[in-house]
Amino acid sequence: GDLHQPLHAASLYSPAFPEGDRHGTRFFVRPPHGDDAVSLHYFWDSAVQRSQQMTEVLRTATHLQSLYPRETLDELQQRPYLDTRSPRRWILEESHRLAITSAYRDGQLAGGADWRSAVRLSEAYAAAAQGIAARRMALSALRLAAVLRAIFLR
């Protein structure tokens, strides 16, 4: 499931991060609401679900299932689970591309190298991230089911 989230598939290298930002864990931002700085990685990973309470997790899963029925996810037809090489394609053809274009905004996203220099994200960025993360979460659940079926129903 994690490989479907963009920041699990890329790191930013730039003058501010000459050794890379370690998948966004060293790139600090401030959410549109709230004062606490968080890593960009955490921001994306928690865009849909922060609670670990089972009732909340199940509520979110049910909600995502209704928002993204299987037939609405073109990625399932374009890149279905075929064999053990499939997850690599999901990373390279989807998650990595989304990290560049959406998470890092083609290298234009402002952020800090520490929590003191964190930059506040816009409402528009946060809304886009939440939509992408939700879709990726729904997609990962369906693909994980396909992988498990392939393993256990041979």
Side-chain angles (χ1 to χ4, degrees):
D2 273 353
L3 65 87
H4 282 79
Q5 292 301 354
L7 288 171
H8 287 254
S11 287
L12 176 70
Y13 290 83
S14 71
F17 299 99
E19 296 179 21
D21 73 349
R22 298 198 181 176
H23 304 281
T25 61
R26 294 196 172 167
F27 188 114
F28 291 89
V29 296
R30 292 188 193 285
H33 303 288
D35 293 326
D36 293 337
V38 297
S39 73
L40 187 63
H41 188 102
Y42 174 82
F43 177 81
W44 275 81
D45 271 5
S46 63
V48 177
Q49 178 67 47
R50 287 194 176 106
S51 173
Q52 293 185 12
Q53 297 296 318
M54 189 53 72
T55 55
E56 288 298 315
V57 171
L58 289 172
R59 185 177 298 128
T60 299
T62 301
H63 180 66
L64 290 176
Q65 205 171 21
S66 68
L67 277 179
Y68 301 102
R70 172 182 293 279
E71 60 274 6
T72 67
L73 297 169
D74 296 337
E75 299 93 332
L76 290 174
Q77 284 71 46
Q78 295 166 359
R79 286 172 289 286
Y81 179 75
L82 301 173
D83 54 39
T84 57
R85 292 181 302 260
S86 296
R88 181 170 169 76
R89 291 182 61 215
W90 302 337
I91 294 169
L92 295 176
E93 296 174 18
E94 297 173 10
S95 299
H96 186 258
R97 179 184 49 78
L98 286 168
I100 293 167
T101 61
S102 299
Y104 291 117
R105 295 273 166 102
D106 294 314
Q108 301 303 306
L109 182 68
D114 59 46
W115 64 271
R116 289 178 301 280
S117 59
V119 175
R120 185 158 314 277
L121 296 171
S122 70
E123 292 278 353
Y125 181 92
Q130 186 175 23
I132 291 166
R135 182 182 179 91
R136 300 298 291 165
M137 191 177 283
L139 183 59
S140 72
L142 291 166
R143 282 182 168 156
L144 180 57
V147 170
L148 293 173
R149 275 194 300 275
I151 291 170
F152 293 112
L153 300 177
R154 290 183 176 189

